[in-house]
Amino acid sequence: MESDIRRLESHVREGLVAFIGDSPETVLAIHALQSGLGRVWTSGPSDDLRAVIVESALVPGEPQGFGDPASLLDLLARAEGWRCIELNPDVADDITDDFERRWGIASRVIDVVHISRQCPRVEGHPRVRPLRVPDLSRLSVASDDVFPGRRVVEGAAARGRVFVAIDGDSIVGHGSSFAASGTYADIGVYVAASHRGQGIATSAAALACEAVRADGLTPVWGTGSDNQGSLGVAAKLGFLEVARLVFLVPVGR
């Protein structure tokens, strides 16, 4: 069954959160369920779930699957609009052969999940400062992929979890937390190509880490295993690897 998460009753959402579990690997899925920002597919009755797929509105087309491998494949066959599926490595190994029989050869992209218990002090950057909600009306962005939707950005800015680099009247980078569970907060960064290599990502992400930690949350950093720039920033900020997930990406889909 597919559902817009916003249409689910609260007890159903709570059951899905309990099925998935709150961990560094699940922060985006848990946030989607708790905020209503996303879609979900389920297999089995609510009191006896077999599998769940959650697509966060923050990463459309990149859902995460949980539960019985065979049931996950059946859910994927009914789902629309996905480009890949993120899975626990053991589940990915179990379904790869059947997955490729249905959707063709799949590449495997490794998502390295980190947490930070204590962020080292990072020197501030002169261009980086907190984003206030009124700023969104007067500042432009360097490109369309800087931020997710305005509603999400406004909510995070109101919580003091968005830190931006500004050049003139343009936002050229940020370090922010747009998704959190009851325990963890995802940290994301973006810097325009023209402003990379200046320490913006490290400075902004450090501030975002401090902000979520002040709210009692543990910062989480997820990045591809081949993204050396992101891995380098994570290391500077004291993040330690705690898990790996696998994206199965059908070639040519």
Side-chain angles (χ1 to χ4, degrees):
M1 178 181 70
E2 177 187 348
S3 298
D4 181 328
I5 297 173
R6 291 172 296 183
R7 298 176 181 173
L8 297 178
E9 295 183 9
S10 59
H11 75 276
V12 175
R13 292 195 205 183
E14 291 168 3
L16 293 171
V17 168
F19 180 83
I20 291 171
D22 190 358
S23 72
E25 301 98 298
T26 64
V27 60
L28 287 177
I30 297 295
H31 176 262
L33 291 169
Q34 293 179 333
S35 68
L37 297 176
R39 299 186 295 167
V40 63
W41 294 262
T42 59
S43 175
S46 59
D47 59 350
D48 188 24
L49 290 166
R50 293 188 295 274
V52 174
I53 294 175
V54 180
E55 180 191 72
S56 167
L58 298 178
V59 283
E62 302 179 10
Q64 188 173 4
F66 309 89
D68 174 65
S71 299
L72 283 172
L73 284 170
D74 290 341
L75 284 178
L76 271 180
R78 300 199 300 270
E80 296 180 352
W82 59 273
R83 298 188 301 273
C84 59
I85 179 76
E86 186 174 34
L87 301 162
N88 176 283
D90 291 339
V91 175
D93 290 342
D94 283 345
I95 73 169
T96 293
D97 289 344
D98 287 338
F99 185 95
E100 292 188 333
R101 275 191 285 271
R102 298 191 190 203
W103 294 290
I105 298 298
S107 62
R108 294 168 69 96
V109 178
I110 307 302
D111 182 20
V112 186
V113 182
H114 309 71
I115 64 171
S116 174
R117 296 296 185 189
Q118 184 174 1
C119 182
R121 184 169 295 280
V122 174
E123 184 176 350
H125 191 284
R127 292 193 188 277
V128 175
R129 66 167 178 81
L131 178 72
R132 308 303 181 193
V133 173
D135 293 335
L136 291 168
S137 299
R138 66 178 188 82
L139 295 174
S140 61
V141 293
S143 65
D144 291 339
D145 56 354
V146 171
F147 283 139
R150 184 181 177 109
R151 175 186 169 192
V152 173
V153 178
E154 285 182 349
R159 293 181 177 88
R161 298 179 183 177
V162 183
F163 299 87
V164 294
I166 299 173
D167 187 359
D169 292 325
S170 179
I171 296 172
V172 297
H174 74 88
S176 309
S177 179
F178 298 121
S181 66
T183 308
Y184 302 99
D186 180 70
I187 304 297
V189 298
Y190 175 90
V191 180
S194 58
H195 288 73
R196 291 174 188 167
Q198 301 176 24
I200 289 173
T202 302
S203 177
L207 291 169
C209 288
E210 291 175 5
V212 300
R213 193 175 284 111
D215 290 336
L217 302 172
T218 298
V220 173
W221 188 283
T223 190
S225 60
D226 60 349
N227 190 337
Q228 296 304 313
S230 181
L231 290 169
V233 174
K236 290 178 184 177
L237 296 175
F239 280 89
L240 299 175
E241 179 180 336
V242 293
R244 292 193 173 205
L245 298 171
V246 176
F247 283 99
L248 292 181
V249 186
V251 175
R253 184 178 176 87

